[in-house]
Amino acid sequence: MNRYPLWKYLLIVIALVFGALYTAPNFFGESPALQISSTRSTVKIDSSMVDRVDQILKKEAIASTSLTYENNGVVGTVRARFKDTDDQFKAKSVIEKALNPDLAEVTYGVAFNLSPNTPKWLQSLHAFPMYLGLDLRGGVHFLMQVDTKAVLNKRLQGLQSSVRTVLRDKEVRHAGISRDGDVINVKFRDAETMTKAINVIGNQMSDVNFVDTKNADNTEINLQVSLKPEALKAAMTEGVKQNITALSKRVNELGVAEPIIQQQGADRIVVELPGVQDVARAKEIIGRQATLEVRLVDESVIGVVDDSTAVPFGSEMFKVGRGGPAILYKDPVITGDYISGASASFDQHQQPAVSIDLNGDGGRKMREGTRGKIGKKMAIVLFEKGKGELLTVATIQDELGSRFNITGMGSTSASSDLALLLRAGSLAAPMDIIEESTVGPQLGVENIKKGLNSTLYGFIAIGIFMAAYYLLFGVFSVLALSVNLLLLVAILSLLQATLTLPGMAAIALALGMAIDANVLINERIREELRAGSTPQAAIATGFDRAWATILDSNVTTLIVGLALLMFGSGPIKAFAIVHCLGIVTSMFSAVFVSRGVVNLWYGRKKKLNSIAIGQIWKPTE
């Protein structure tokens, strides 16, 4: 009557093995480590850096427990692990000096880090410890203020350029275009031409207002073009969103695990980097304000370009990067704002290339900028910290539009790197750090200790109560509760979810809800025994009848958890994720695993006269 088929026991065994494998990495701890990465976009770290770092450490008699090269498909880094923090600090100073002999030009960054001690065979199964949030692991928190004035200024510059282009395309003559604050002034000789200009500009741009004025003798008419208030607001909102997107990509590309980057208020951005010990390095990571520009090479310069070459007015020299030194015009053809996509590809000769997609305005600007320029050279420049770096210098082979290729990349890795930089986009405006705070690793350790103690003591208290009140069935319930905890931690580890203090609270709540299901089952069995059922029949009926109640209660709770997950943010979402997973694992362990253990213990006994489920109180007649 109470026997499980073999496949169900196999499923339980598989679940236990899965839980053990993916929970285990959380118990191996972490070692102090250093992460070596490139600070320049055109310098890539490959596996040869491992030997170079190894030689530096051996020369200074500093022992490392391991040296590994890691590549997440975006950037390559070298991670050196040490036995204690003393060696970690010594190695940082030594490696920085050896890799960056010229302190004015820092090419390689060396950051403090923590490396998990998970065995390689577990890592091969994608078994890694859970990420810990800022409140558990420590790290840095920044509140950044976006310069919305710069966003507005950029938008008005684009408006001025668009007005000039539209009037030129429609052959509407004007006497000059200038900018005065937030207003674009366009001068005309007669009212008829001004009326035509208003119609032309109005058809192309729906987010502008017009105001016309005349001078004293009516010989000149001035048309004032300004953005509507809602357009100004939208420009600032989009600027903040663009900064968040670009910032997220740059932080992710530098390998920071589970960063939190979100908007706060109208013009502020919150950045949290868990596990980062070096505040200066963290500032460098989030402060990368790179912008891209496509410029034409100044062909008036004849001969080889070097430091002694005279730079014509309206141009500037770039020395750093691929194809340098080169002299480029200051006015860009397009900026990175117009790039909608970039991917590594191959040209018609099957050589590595980069395919670039531009939006509508970008395609128009590119056609205008390259028309009649076939055979001339064009450069893509990356600006970081006020310095320009040449990403590539290519020859224009045809009039370019919304989609074109950059050829002559040399290797597939070079084309992939350039495509990655182009996809990263640019910041819409500079940002200032107005608030920063650091959660030390020691405080994180204290929070972990308190969270673990609360869960552990709660588990022990539940176990004692269940064993005392329900005897052997209480022990079965505790075993099922243990499986629930094992599976919950394993799933969180497999998903690489970020565990925070609210998440630990959700784990404790999941244990309480899981044991509630076992209480329902045990009480149902007691009711059947009081009604005169045989022990075997009471077990079967008790589990069957309790299942409907358990399902109803868990589904309704799951609906609330999903609502928190969908509409919550930050700590609320962290709580909701663990809460929902805990409900799923508790339903499996409380019913499926618990019944499997009971059937294994009692199911094969043909003559079962009693079961150890505590005192059965029968109602008096």
Side-chain angles (χ1 to χ4, degrees):
M1 178 182 291
N2 291 311
R3 293 187 181 181
Y4 255 7
L6 180 61
W7 69 269
K8 289 188 177 182
Y9 282 113
L10 288 176
L11 182 60
I12 293 175
V13 171
I14 292 173
L16 290 174
V17 172
F18 163 80
L21 283 176
Y22 287 92
T23 299
N26 296 283
F27 297 97
F28 286 101
E30 295 176 315
S31 296
L34 294 176
Q35 181 173 300
I36 297 96
S37 58
S38 172
T39 60
R40 285 172 49 184
S41 303
T42 53
V43 176
K44 185 179 180 181
I45 289 182
D46 55 25
S47 57
S48 63
M49 180 60 73
V50 174
D51 295 331
R52 188 175 174 185
V53 173
D54 187 37
Q55 292 175 3
I56 294 171
L57 294 176
K58 285 181 178 179
K59 184 178 179 180
E60 299 294 332
I62 301 175
S64 65
T65 57
S66 70
L67 276 171
T68 56
Y69 172 72
E70 301 174 1
N71 193 323
N72 61 3
V74 178
V75 291
T77 59
V78 171
R79 192 182 296 265
R81 186 184 300 174
F82 304 91
K83 63 180 180 180
D84 53 43
T85 54
D86 289 339
D87 287 345
Q88 181 192 31
F89 277 84
K90 292 177 183 177
K92 183 178 188 295
S93 176
V94 167
I95 294 173
E96 280 181 332
K97 290 179 181 178
L99 296 181
N100 302 301
D102 184 3
L103 297 179
E105 290 290 339
V106 177
T107 305
Y108 299 99
V110 183
F112 290 113
N113 215 311
L114 293 172
S115 183
N117 296 326
T118 308
K120 290 185 178 180
W121 69 272
L122 277 175
Q123 294 184 28
S124 65
L125 298 174
H126 198 71
F128 299 99
M130 284 182 287
Y131 288 127
L132 298 180
L134 198 68
D135 50 1
L136 296 180
R137 191 176 187 182
V140 292
H141 165 94
F142 296 103
L143 180 61
M144 310 188 73
Q145 178 85 44
V146 179
D147 187 357
T148 52
K149 290 184 179 179
V151 177
L152 182 58
N153 181 61
K154 196 172 185 179
R155 180 70 176 85
L156 290 171
Q157 286 179 345
L159 175 63
Q160 183 177 356
S161 176
S162 298
V163 169
R164 180 181 286 109
T165 302
V166 168
L167 294 180
R168 183 176 65 245
D169 290 346
K170 300 300 182 180
E171 298 182 351
V172 179
R173 295 183 177 273
H174 58 83
I177 298 177
S178 62
R179 178 181 164 191
D180 183 13
D182 296 344
V183 176
I184 308 300
N185 293 313
V186 187
K187 296 179 181 179
F188 297 95
R189 300 296 184 187
D190 56 79
E192 182 180 353
T193 305
M194 184 195 68
T195 302
K196 183 179 179 181
I198 292 175
N199 293 331
V200 168
I201 297 173
N203 290 333
Q204 297 285 336
M205 307 172 195
S206 59
D207 55 355
V208 294
N209 289 324
F210 301 100
V211 176
D212 60 281
T213 58
K214 298 180 181 179
N215 59 4
D217 55 1
N218 292 330
T219 58
E220 192 174 79
I221 303 174
N222 185 51
L223 177 65
Q224 295 181 342
V225 184
S226 60
L227 289 171
K228 294 179 180 179
E230 54 269 24
L232 291 173
K233 183 177 180 181
M236 289 187 285
T237 302
E238 289 300 319
V240 175
K241 289 182 179 179
Q242 182 179 337
N243 274 18
I244 291 174
T245 302
L247 195 57
S248 299
K249 291 178 180 178
R250 286 186 169 86
V251 170
N252 289 335
E253 288 165 14
L254 289 172
V256 179
E258 293 298 304
I260 297 174
I261 303 173
Q262 58 190 16
Q263 184 174 350
Q264 183 180 92
D267 56 357
R268 294 182 177 183
I269 299 174
V270 174
V271 179
E272 291 185 357
L273 305 177
V276 175
Q277 302 176 32
D278 190 346
V279 178
R281 174 62 175 160
K283 284 184 178 180
E284 181 183 352
I285 291 173
I286 67 170
R288 291 185 64 188
Q289 299 180 6
T291 57
L292 286 166
E293 290 186 1
V294 177
R295 297 189 182 188
L296 292 174
V297 175
D298 191 339
E299 300 286 346
S300 65
V301 180
I302 301 174
V304 179
V305 177
D306 54 29
D307 292 341
S308 61
T309 303
V311 180
F313 180 76
S315 300
E316 59 182 317
M317 181 185 292
F318 294 89
K319 301 178 182 180
V320 179
R322 303 186 186 99
I327 297 178
L328 312 178
Y329 290 110
K330 288 184 178 180
D331 293 333
V333 179
I334 61 168
T335 63
D337 299 336
Y338 297 99
I339 297 175
S340 59
S343 60
S345 61
F346 295 91
D347 60 15
Q348 64 270 25
H349 304 295
Q350 296 304 306
Q351 295 300 312
V354 176
S355 297
I356 298 178
D357 292 309
L358 304 176
N359 59 23
D361 289 340
R364 177 176 54 79
K365 287 178 175 291
M366 183 60 79
R367 280 190 293 272
E368 294 170 355
T370 59
R371 189 173 296 153
K373 303 288 194 306
I374 297 175
K376 298 185 181 297
K377 291 185 177 181
M378 181 181 71
I380 297 179
V381 188
L382 176 71
F383 288 91
E384 289 186 287
K385 302 174 184 176
K387 297 181 180 180
E389 183 177 352
L390 290 167
L391 295 181
T392 184
V393 178
T395 301
I396 301 173
Q397 298 178 354
D398 198 357
E399 181 180 310
L400 305 179
S402 297
R403 183 177 178 83
F404 61 94
N405 289 340
I406 298 176
T407 58
M409 298 306 301
S411 65
T412 54
S413 61
S415 62
S416 298
D417 291 344
L418 179 57
L420 177 64
L421 288 168
L422 297 175
R423 285 198 304 270
S426 61
L427 295 177
M431 297 180 293
D432 295 320
I433 298 174
I434 61 175
E435 177 187 307
E436 68 176 80
S437 61
T438 303
V439 179
Q442 189 60 38
L443 179 59
V445 170
E446 288 293 324
N447 289 336
I448 293 175
K449 183 179 179 180
K450 291 178 181 178
L452 288 177
N453 286 342
S454 62
T455 304
L456 177 62
Y457 295 150
F459 186 91
I460 292 174
I462 289 173
I464 292 174
F465 170 79
M466 294 297 290
Y469 195 72
Y470 292 111
L471 302 181
L472 188 57
F473 270 75
V475 175
F476 295 156
S477 299
V478 174
L479 288 175
L481 190 63
S482 303
V483 173
N484 175 46
L485 182 60
L486 185 72
L487 293 178
L488 179 55
V489 174
I491 293 174
L492 290 173
S493 301
L494 179 63
L495 297 176
Q496 289 288 274
T498 300
L499 184 64
T500 60
L501 279 175
M504 297 191 78
I507 291 177
L509 178 63
L511 294 180
M513 295 180 61
I515 204 64
D516 181 62
N518 287 107
V519 170
L520 285 173
I521 293 170
N522 293 340
E523 288 299 329
R524 284 289 189 180
I525 294 174
R526 278 182 165 186
E527 288 180 6
E528 294 301 320
L529 291 173
R530 283 194 290 266
S533 299
T534 63
Q536 293 285 18
I539 292 172
T541 307
F543 272 101
D544 291 340
R545 291 185 176 179
W547 166 244
T549 305
I550 294 170
L551 181 62
D552 289 344
S553 62
N554 280 279
V555 167
T556 53
T557 310
L558 184 62
I559 291 173
V560 176
L562 292 174
L564 290 175
L565 184 61
M566 292 172 61
F567 301 108
S569 61
I572 296 177
K573 183 168 288 188
F575 175 88
I577 291 172
V578 181
H579 176 66
C580 292
L581 291 175
I583 291 173
V584 176
T585 56
S586 68
M587 291 176 66
F588 174 80
S589 61
V591 179
F592 196 82
V593 176
S594 180
R595 186 164 188 176
V597 175
V598 171
N599 288 353
L600 187 65
W601 188 268
Y602 286 116
R604 297 186 180 276
K605 296 181 180 180
K606 295 181 180 180
K607 294 182 179 180
L608 184 62
N609 297 321
S610 63
I611 55 177
I613 198 171
Q615 184 66 42
I616 307 298
W617 300 99
K618 294 184 178 181
T620 57
E621 295 293 339

